[in-house]
Amino acid sequence: MIRRSVLILGLVAAGCNTVPLEDPPTRAQISDSTLPPMKSFASPSPSRPVRSNANIAADFLSLHFELESGRALPVFTRFEAPISVRVTGSPPPNLQADLTRLIDRLRREAGIDIQQVSGGQARITIEAVSRDDIREALPQAACFVVPNVSSLAEFRRDRRKPKTNWSLLRKRERLGIFLPYDASPQEVRDCLHEELAQAIGPLNDLYRLPDSVFNDDNVHTVLTGFDMLILQTTYAPELRTGMSRSEVAAILPDLLARMNPAGSNIQPEPVALTPRNWIDAVQTALGPGATPQTRRNAASAATSIAQNLGWKDHRRAFSHYMLGRMTQLSDPELAQQHFGTALHFLAQTPGTELHRAYITTQTSAYAISRGDSATALRQIEPNLKVARQSENAALLSTLMLLKAEALELAGKPQQAGSVRLDSLGWARYGFGSDWAVRAKMQEAASLNPHNKLGG
């Protein structure tokens, strides 16, 4: 129910100083830009899940009948009436277009009866507030959703009452979503996708899911084909609010066979549950407030837990990715070994192309800092398509800025300039204000050893 403020994207490379962050961009800074126009993605092209319906049924039950704390929920809940959505507060300019696209997808791909309204009481109220207001309400949240409220003021007043307790929810009638108006356009959109999906669908997040926004690793930022299947199943006529876990479990095989026939012909894989100690280690490593040494220790602990459990999936890879990020300034060669190990496990896990693209920002940045343009270009090129398909402008622009520096190294300044210019429209969507975009440009340029030699 909370999208945490977790940093998983950056260029930090050995021997490279990162650009210090300044104050967050305001809406005026984002709209009044001297950079090229902001770019946006065309029609979405999500991939259908490629795994057994038996595994998807197990995921569905865990998503709907458990909370992130591990506490069990006694009954299935969803909206039983048409869903109305209203926007209040101070919405940023990009929110309306992204909300319209999302509602269209929910109607078209998941068959959900949902529409936006301009006034009156709504089933779901999306209130755009400041990041400071959100952090004051929930310090670790980038955005969040709460039952039975329609404003942040109501949540503050009633936050300790039973009405706002997810574990006591027995039917869905009214929910409030709170997202920041002073964040980058992509962050606002990401919050919109995750929180609206949880407002109408599952309440849990599962680290074991490689292809879903219902995962606290924040790798996927827009609803995937798996997510749409889960939401479509949630609103199937065979299900209704108040059903028990066993009642839902009995219906799911036939229901999924109808909705996802390809999954009936795939052999199920053993379900490896995610232990609490690994989750705690990840949240310590990536969450706010910890010292660098504490983060490294937590990432190392997560890696050891994953290894001892014998994991060979994206969770094992994510553990090594974190540890690589935590060690790349102190021991860049060891960090690259961790990134290589992460890529090894991801190569064995279907549906992890986006995870690999994230790691490529680290390995290609390292190659550029070593003057190896050929390796960097070979790594970057196939991941540009992945970033586009996943509608991740921050990742796409980062890869393009890295490609530009690799082309500079290769003695192709005209091509580098063209790629760099093309990246800026995506960077404006992904990072927001001019200062944030220019900080990313400077960060990428600082990797180039020719620039270092030049002063």
Side-chain angles (χ1 to χ4, degrees):
M1 288 77 72
I2 297 172
R3 183 174 182 84
R4 291 181 173 84
S5 300
V6 176
L7 178 65
I8 59 173
L9 182 63
L11 298 179
V12 188
C16 166
N17 293 322
T18 58
V19 180
L21 295 180
E22 303 169 21
D23 291 334
T26 65
R27 285 179 292 157
Q29 288 173 321
I30 292 173
S31 60
D32 185 18
S33 175
T34 59
L35 295 173
M38 185 183 300
K39 294 186 178 182
S40 60
F41 294 98
S43 300
S45 54
S47 301
R48 297 289 289 184
V50 185
R51 58 180 181 273
S52 168
N53 279 345
N55 287 120
I56 295 174
D59 295 336
F60 186 92
L61 293 172
S62 293
L63 285 168
H64 271 287
F65 287 94
E66 299 167 18
L67 293 176
E68 292 180 47
S69 63
R71 184 169 182 172
L73 294 171
V75 296
F76 173 80
T77 64
R78 69 179 186 188
F79 282 102
E80 295 296 344
I83 304 170
S84 54
V85 179
R86 182 188 178 195
V87 177
T88 64
S90 303
N94 59 290
L95 188 147
Q96 183 57 59
D98 285 330
L99 177 59
T100 298
R101 291 185 75 223
L102 177 54
I103 288 177
D104 178 67
R105 284 193 63 194
L106 292 169
R107 294 178 65 89
R108 180 167 39 85
E109 297 177 37
I112 296 174
D113 188 356
I114 181 172
Q115 64 179 345
Q116 186 175 354
V117 297
S118 58
Q121 187 67 260
R123 296 286 182 182
I124 297 174
T125 300
I126 300 171
E127 185 177 16
V129 299
S130 71
R131 289 202 280 196
D132 286 343
D133 286 336
I134 288 175
R135 288 168 180 164
E136 183 181 348
L138 290 177
Q140 295 189 24
C143 45
F144 62 99
V145 58
V146 181
N148 300 313
V149 301
S150 298
S151 69
L152 192 59
E154 185 180 4
F155 169 65
R156 286 170 175 155
R157 186 180 68 241
D158 297 340
R159 64 182 304 169
R160 291 178 176 83
K161 295 181 180 180
K163 62 182 276 189
T164 61
N165 189 330
W166 284 106
S167 65
L168 301 178
L169 187 69
R170 298 297 178 264
K171 58 182 178 179
R172 301 197 202 190
E173 297 179 323
R174 186 168 61 100
L175 291 99
I177 293 173
F178 307 104
L179 48 78
Y181 61 64
D182 49 357
S184 72
Q186 179 167 317
E187 184 176 345
V188 174
R189 181 210 62 186
D190 296 352
C191 281
L192 194 60
H193 275 246
E194 181 165 344
E195 304 307 337
L196 186 55
Q198 294 202 300
I200 65 177
L203 302 180
N204 196 11
D205 284 322
L206 297 171
Y207 278 104
R208 72 173 185 252
L209 301 178
D211 55 352
S212 175
V213 302
F214 300 117
N215 186 329
D216 269 340
D217 64 11
N218 287 359
V219 169
H220 288 275
T221 57
V222 299
L223 292 173
T224 66
F226 172 86
D227 298 329
M228 285 297 180
L229 176 59
I230 291 295
L231 291 171
Q232 182 185 18
T233 305
T234 298
Y235 284 84
E238 292 92 332
L239 302 181
R240 65 185 183 278
T241 292
M243 296 181 76
S244 67
R245 183 174 183 134
S246 60
E247 289 173 327
V248 173
I251 293 172
L252 282 177
D254 290 341
L255 182 54
L256 287 171
R258 188 183 83 238
M259 292 186 169
N260 187 45
S264 298
N265 300 319
I266 301 175
Q267 283 294 111
E269 297 287 338
V271 176
L273 301 180
T274 308
R276 190 73 239 176
N277 60 344
W278 185 87
I279 294 173
D280 291 341
V282 169
Q283 293 181 351
T284 299
L286 299 181
T291 65
Q293 186 60 51
T294 299
R295 293 183 190 280
R296 285 193 295 272
N297 291 343
S300 180
T303 304
S304 296
I305 293 167
Q307 183 175 359
N308 292 337
L309 290 172
W311 285 348
K312 297 181 180 180
D313 61 6
H314 60 287
R315 292 171 295 181
R316 174 77 178 272
F318 191 67
S319 304
H320 284 281
Y321 169 64
M322 287 191 304
L323 193 52
R325 289 295 307 273
M326 303 304 167
T327 59
Q328 59 188 350
L329 290 179
S330 60
D331 194 339
E333 292 186 2
L334 177 61
Q336 291 302 306
Q337 292 177 23
H338 282 296
F339 295 141
T341 301
L343 289 170
H344 167 75
F345 287 112
L346 291 174
Q348 304 176 52
T349 308
T352 59
E353 292 82 5
L354 185 55
H355 300 70
R356 283 173 257 176
Y358 274 113
I359 296 174
T360 297
T361 65
Q362 308 302 316
T363 58
S364 61
Y366 181 76
I368 292 169
S369 72
R370 308 263 301 184
D372 188 352
S373 61
T375 295
L377 289 169
R378 185 174 65 252
Q379 293 177 351
I380 292 167
E381 197 60 38
N383 288 293
L384 294 171
K385 181 180 178 181
V386 174
R388 287 180 185 273
Q389 185 172 3
S390 64
E391 300 186 46
N392 193 321
L395 176 61
L396 176 60
S397 61
T398 297
L399 289 168
M400 293 176 76
L401 287 170
L402 289 170
K403 180 179 179 180
E405 293 307 320
L407 288 168
E408 292 278 8
L409 270 176
K412 300 177 180 180
Q414 288 186 329
Q415 291 184 39
S418 178
V419 172
R420 188 178 292 111
L421 180 63
D422 193 31
S423 76
L424 298 183
W426 297 116
R428 285 197 60 206
Y429 186 86
F431 298 111
S433 65
D434 283 14
W435 72 260
V437 174
R438 291 195 171 97
K440 280 295 170 184
M441 293 173 64
Q442 182 181 341
E443 195 176 357
S446 69
L447 295 166
N448 191 325
H450 293 175
N451 294 337
K452 295 176 185 178
L453 291 173

